[in-house]
Structures are given as structure tokens and as C-alpha cells.
Amino acid sequence: MIRTVILKVNCEKPEKPKIKAAADVIRKGGLVAFPTETVYGLGADALNAKAVKRIYEAKKRPLDNPIIVHVATKQEILQLTENIPLKANKLMSIFWPGPLTLVLKASDKVPKAITGGLDTVAVRMPRHNVALALIKESGVPIAAPSANLSGRPSPTTAEHVNQDLDGRIEMILDGGPTNIGVESTVLDVTVDPPIILRPGGTSYEELVKALGQVNIHPAALAEKSVRIAKVPSPGMKHRHYAPRAELVLIEGNIKPTAKKIQQIIDQNKKNGKKVGVLATDETKSMYTADTVKSLGSRADLSSAARSLFRLLREFDEEKVDIIVAEGVPLEGLGLAVMNRLRKASNYRIVKVD
Ligand code: TXA
Ligand code: MG
């Protein structure tokens, strides 16, 4: 057991001594959880293979699942990759700092521990003062997966990090709830047209506007389980975002969806189960269940993204046996939300119309 120190930091103006203390931990090969604009990350010195190994241990993460490297300046990318394609440069100037991770060809300097043995490396520049200050002060790029135990919903508050990793890491920088709430979009730019491996905080529509053509990997849509051999990003094959309760996802038009959800609630109630519903503002009053939570308005999918992981954790705290979730439109951040819900359901998806 390690004693986990929690430091509250000011996101507008991160306090220097606190950032210094955290950077010290990173430089010594330790682990610091820190806020980004998407979710909390679990950081270590990306160029220190031993430190990176500790991330896998703390998270109980499968060793073949590669980790994103976070930088504070474009300069830092040069040591990590052999080649930056023109399109990648364009994306960096439009979207960085921000929730877009680019998969590039890796240089020899990148420890194999980070890439899970692949010849590529994923890089991103987060849009968060605390994250940027920490990377700068550490003087090294920071490897950071989401700061949850592997398979659990990603943390959007320091409290979530503490629930999963207390006693397993040296420090948590608490910068309050994160703004976007789902992880960054992972885009492979080693191929042309680039392909989305994980939808996230930068929407498909924005990427198409910048590049013209962008593909989406079937595993990123996550409509059904994709055969392991066909998956380019090892992270895609592991179960993800899963609350402890079983989750069933209902997709389709709003009226038949609401009807189907109430049927499932009633069935499970009859069997003595505690049932939670993940609804939207437009539908939440339609359901009679043990607990009904709203992702926000269907007209504002960024609010759904912001609250999704928090609500999944809340259902677990309330010890519901089954969560019945309403699908949302696949536009904008809706694609990222649906990817997480489909995976959390382990592909228990009911389509109605
Ligand atoms: O917003 C985010 O991306 C957060 C914050 C902390 O930056 N990080 C995050 O990391 O979500 P993680 O490890 O939970 O998810 C990284 C994803 C995984 O699905 C992994 O398989 C994929 O990115 N990935 C990492 N390196 C890759 C590579 N070289 N090729 C393909 N996929 C890669
Ligand atoms: Mg993760």
C-alpha cells in the first residue's frame, strides 16, 4: 500500500508548489493522477519503462493495451515519432490542445511498454491548465491512460480516481469535475484516409470538415463484438466502461424505446431485481423504476457525454442489479456516448422501431 496524497489545485491558475510536488513524483518514476478536459489521466514519465509498467500494475491493465503519450508542445512529438504526415500537422494546428489523439509511427525512443509492442504511438496535447503545467514542469512527455481500474467507467472527478486507485498511486491532483466527460477521439493517421479507432471528444463531423474524408472502424461503432484478429487497437477488444450492474441498451425511436424500457423494468421488478433507468430529460418522467437518472436533453449531447460515467458509477453505489439505458442519436458527441454504452452493455442491444 502506498499513501495516496490528494492535492486540490486551481484550474485557472495551478499553484506552482503543488505542480512542482507532482512533477517531482513523475520524475522519480511515480504515478500522479491529474485532470484533463476529457477524463482524469494516470500519469507517469513516458520515457521511463519502469514507471510505465507501474501504470499497468496500478490499473490492472492488460499489457497489450497501449497508452497515450501527453505533450505540452508540438516540439515534444519530434522525439516520439519518425514521421508526421501533412494531415496530422493540419489536425494538430486545428484541434490541439484538445480531445484528439493521433496515432503515428513510433520512434525507437518510445518504450515498448507504452505501445503494447505495436510500431505506432498515440499522442495528444490536452486542453487543461493543470495537465499542461504538470507536463511542462516534469520536463518529459507523460504517458497516461484514464485513471480508473481497468474495465471500470473512466473517472471524471478526483473522487472517482480515489475510489479505484487509493493506496495504489502516489498522488491525485484534484481539479474538480472534467468538462467533456468522455475520452479523446483516437484517430489513426498512419493510413489515408485516417480512421477513427475510438470516437470521443472531437466529433466525426468536425474531423470531416477539416479533412474531407475520415473512416470509422467498425469496432469504434461498437454495434457488435468485432473478431479479435481484426482489431487494430488492442484497447478495442477489452471490456470497457462497465458498471458492476448488468446494462441493457435500447436503441430506436423514442416512443417504442420508452415502451420497451418500461416492459423490461416490469419484467425485472417481477423477478425481484432493483432496476435503474438511464433516461433523458425528454423521457425521464415516463418510467416507473427504482431509480431514474437523466443524461440531460437529447438536444444537447455534450451534456450526455459530461454526465455518462458519473451516472454509471452512481448506479453502482445505489446497488442496482440492472441498468436499462436509452440510446441517443449518433450525431456529434452522441457517437462517443453510444460507443461507451454499447461496450458497457457487452453488446446486449435491443433495437426497436
Ligand atoms: O481522453 C483521453 O484520451 C484520456 C486522457 C487521460 O487523456 N486517456 C485515455 O487513455 O482514455 P486510455 O488508455 O484509457 O485509452 C487509450 C486508447 C485505448 O483504446 C488504446 O488501445 C488506444 O487509445 N491506443 C493507444 N495507443 C495506441 C496505438 N499506438 N495504436 C492504436 N490505439 C492506441
Ligand atoms: Mg481507459
Side-chain angles (χ1 to χ4, degrees):
M1 266 289 267
I2 308 169
R3 195 173 74 89
T4 303
V5 176
I6 304 177
L7 295 180
K8 271 204 192 313
V9 273
N10 181 336
C11 290
E12 298 301 316
K13 234 177 149 255
E15 299 87 341
K16 257 265 155 100
K18 294 181 182 172
I19 297 298
K20 277 212 154 100
D24 245 14
V25 174
I26 295 281
R27 276 193 302 263
K28 286 183 183 145
L31 303 181
V32 177
F34 61 95
T36 79
E37 78 280 36
T38 57
V39 301
Y40 275 71
L42 178 60
D45 176 352
L47 302 177
N48 177 344
K50 250 189 173 167
V52 172
K53 281 207 184 101
R54 280 203 51 214
I55 294 181
Y56 286 90
E57 283 163 20
K59 272 185 65 94
K60 303 186 180 165
R61 181 180 176 99
L63 288 169
D64 64 353
N65 193 2
I67 297 178
I68 298 170
V69 180
H70 296 67
V71 296
T73 63
K74 259 169 99 172
Q75 228 65 26
E76 286 167 88
I77 305 287
L78 301 176
Q79 58 180 330
L80 302 171
T81 178
E82 299 296 350
N83 174 35
I84 302 178
L86 274 178
K87 285 186 183 175
N89 252 316
K90 179 169 184 186
L91 292 170
M92 288 179 204
S93 51
I94 299 175
F95 295 105
W96 280 12
L100 177 65
T101 294
L102 300 174
V103 173
L104 300 163
K105 281 267 174 256
S107 76
D108 296 342
K109 242 188 133 177
V110 180
K112 285 281 172 237
I114 282 187
T115 64
L118 299 174
D119 60 357
T120 53
V121 61
V123 289
R124 100 173 182 96
M125 189 190 292
R127 186 166 64 221
H128 195 290
N129 291 337
V130 174
L132 291 171
L134 177 63
I135 302 165
K136 280 187 189 146
E137 186 63 34
S138 303
V140 288
I142 292 188
S146 49
N148 50 287
L149 282 175
S150 192
R152 298 266 300 140
S154 294
T156 56
T157 65
E159 175 53 33
H160 295 164
V161 177
N162 200 45
Q163 282 169 9
D164 281 14
L165 299 177
D166 182 35
R168 307 177 70 81
I169 63 177
E170 278 80 8
M171 191 178 280
I172 302 172
L173 293 177
D174 179 356
T178 61
N179 182 35
I180 294 177
V182 288
E183 302 89 337
S184 62
T185 299
V186 178
L187 184 73
D188 184 350
V189 286
T190 66
V191 291
D192 198 25
I195 182 166
I196 293 177
L197 303 181
R198 177 181 74 184
T202 302
S203 70
Y204 166 74
E205 292 86 343
E206 288 173 278
L207 291 172
V208 168
K209 214 169 137 200
L211 293 184
Q213 202 188 339
V214 174
N215 292 333
I216 305 178
H217 195 280
L221 284 173
E223 282 189 292
K224 51 181 187 289
S225 182
V226 174
R227 267 192 30 239
I228 286 174
K230 287 195 181 158
V231 166
S233 175
M236 292 170 161
K237 73 183 182 223
H238 301 293
R239 187 162 183 233
H240 260 111
Y241 316 117
R244 292 187 187 94
E246 179 185 348
L247 188 146
V248 189
L249 177 60
I250 318 302
E251 296 184 15
N253 291 324
I254 213 169
K255 265 198 173 155
T257 297
K259 194 171 155 209
K260 185 77 196 170
I261 288 181
Q262 191 58 50
Q263 276 172 8
I264 297 177
I265 298 169
D266 294 341
Q267 244 168 37
N268 280 278
K269 293 298 297 168
K270 233 190 257 162
N271 296 334
K273 295 266 167 78
K274 184 168 181 186
V275 187
V277 179
L278 190 57
T280 47
D281 286 353
E282 289 82 353
T283 57
K284 64 184 179 198
S285 63
M286 298 179 186
Y287 304 117
T288 349
D290 293 296
T291 165
V292 180
K293 297 181 190 292
S294 173
L295 285 165
S297 167
R298 299 176 81 84
D300 174 20
L301 294 172
S302 63
S303 88
R306 194 173 302 120
S307 49
L308 175 67
F309 288 138
R310 173 175 54 83
L311 296 180
L312 292 180
R313 280 180 186 258
E314 281 178 18
F315 280 122
D316 276 346
E317 271 162 36
E318 293 169 33
K319 299 204 163 48
V320 304
D321 300 303
I322 178 162
I323 302 166
V324 196
E326 213 174 82
V328 297
L330 291 165
E331 302 137 26
L333 290 188
L335 185 65
V337 171
M338 287 300 280
N339 164 285
R340 309 309 186 264
L341 283 174
R342 285 168 171 170
K343 289 188 158 193
S345 80
N346 215 1
Y347 312 102
R348 275 194 67 191
I349 302 168
V350 181
K351 298 214 180 193
V352 294
D353 47 11

